Amino acid sequence: MSSVITSTRNRRVVDARKLDQRKHREDQGCFLVEGLQLLHMALDAGARPCRVFYCEPLFAGEEAEALLDRFRATGADLVAVAEHVIETLSERDTPQGLVATFALFETPLDGLALTGDELVVVADHLQDPGNLGTIIRTADAVGAAAVSLLEPCVDPFNPRTVRGSMGSLFNVPLVRTDDPHHLLAVLRGRGLRTIAADVYEGRLWGDELWTGGAALVLGNEARGLSDDVRAEVTDWVRLPIVGQAESLNVAVAGGVLMYAWLKSNLH
């Protein structure tokens, strides 16, 4: 049995704590995940675990032990730590005794298998990690083929994004690029109509636009669509605002439009 780490200054513990910062995630090539359900979903999706910190005295019931067995079978580095150590790695009020790091991942654009009937969500320079997490979760719910991030964009492996996605981060292919022209040209070439929302123009609800494949472009929270992206859009939709609100949150608007696409394509 491996010895239990009791020092919060242990190098592996310190490195894991640094993963709340994007720079260190990129330097180490991994990100931190906690929550038994999210950890199960990560393994179910084939995500590659790097290191697992565990504290058996905090295990409640049999699920955590079963999850640790799953991690053991992957060959991940298993690190036993004391309760006060895992508390420094967890953002939960009541840690569940397991925290794991996973390798960063993304899908190359040419790795998407598109037939022309799918939905791809394009996030144009989003800044809020909670919004991105919600968008990824909704994209998963409607069966989107991918979420594409136009850089610079909030990091999808930000802890708030990971939590907000509720595990969907592991289910939806992520494409990252800083070339919107190439991205949207490829998606159009695969048969996807380029559709974006605007408060002042476009078809109400996007009626008659959603049947078949679509690339739904969602703009930055403060500035909307960037000029180079706006020039690539071929179709516009708008959602009705009948109250006094100036606009909708991008994750809310994106969710409504994703379900508009799904409604038109349910068979």
Side-chain angles (χ1 to χ4, degrees):
M1 180 177 177
S2 60
S3 59
V4 176
I5 292 175
T6 59
S7 173
T8 57
R9 296 185 179 181
N10 177 275
R11 179 187 56 79
R12 288 176 289 183
V13 174
V14 171
D15 284 346
R17 283 208 308 270
K18 289 179 179 178
L19 294 177
D20 63 346
Q21 301 176 49
R22 184 171 190 167
K23 174 183 182 298
H24 291 288
R25 290 193 293 272
E26 293 174 348
D27 287 346
Q28 297 183 41
C30 56
F31 66 108
L32 201 67
V33 181
E34 64 173 321
L36 302 186
Q37 180 182 358
L38 266 66
L39 292 169
H40 273 302
M41 292 179 72
L43 292 177
D44 289 345
R48 183 166 63 87
C50 301
R51 181 168 290 152
V52 181
F53 299 90
Y54 68 98
C55 178
E56 291 186 284
L58 292 177
F59 287 4
E62 299 178 355
E63 185 179 358
E65 191 65 49
L67 187 55
L68 183 59
D69 287 341
R70 291 191 69 186
F71 277 117
R72 188 174 285 115
T74 69
D77 180 23
L78 302 184
V79 183
V81 299
E83 292 183 32
H84 68 278
V85 175
I86 209 161
E87 286 172 355
T88 68
L89 297 173
S90 173
E91 294 188 349
R92 290 173 170 262
D93 293 334
T94 305
Q96 296 176 303
L98 274 172
V99 177
T101 64
F102 287 84
L104 302 179
F105 56 85
E106 64 180 271
T107 299
L109 180 58
D110 59 8
L112 293 180
L114 299 175
T115 65
D117 295 324
E118 299 86 358
L119 174 69
V120 172
V121 180
V122 178
D124 179 14
H125 302 90
L126 293 191
Q127 295 177 312
D128 184 86
N131 281 340
L132 180 57
T134 299
I135 287 168
I136 292 172
R137 183 179 181 183
T138 310
D140 184 19
V142 302
V147 173
S148 181
L149 311 179
L150 289 176
E151 302 284 4
C153 183
V154 62
D155 185 7
F157 304 106
N158 179 294
R160 284 181 57 202
T161 304
V162 176
R163 289 196 303 273
S165 80
M166 289 298 292
S168 290
L169 177 73
F170 300 104
N171 297 331
V172 181
L174 294 177
V175 176
R176 304 171 79 172
T177 180
D178 60 1
D179 188 345
H181 175 76
H182 177 66
L183 169 69
L184 295 174
V186 168
L187 295 180
R188 282 195 302 270
R190 302 283 183 87
L192 306 188
R193 185 184 296 107
T194 306
I195 305 173
D198 190 280
V199 176
Y200 303 108
E201 61 180 299
R203 303 186 193 185
L204 194 63
W205 298 102
D207 288 344
E208 300 176 5
L209 289 179
W210 296 115
T211 301
L216 173 60
V217 187
L218 303 174
N220 174 275
E221 293 90 344
R223 300 183 300 275
L225 292 181
S226 50
D227 290 341
D228 51 352
V229 173
R230 179 175 285 272
E232 301 286 342
V233 174
T234 57
D235 293 281
W236 296 88
V237 303
R238 60 187 174 92
L239 293 173
I241 296 180
V242 297
Q244 300 304 309
E246 180 183 358
S247 61
L248 291 174
N249 169 275
V250 63
V252 172
V256 172
L257 296 174
M258 282 186 247
Y259 269 90
W261 173 85
L262 180 63
K263 182 180 179 182
S264 292
N265 290 277
L266 280 174
H267 300 295

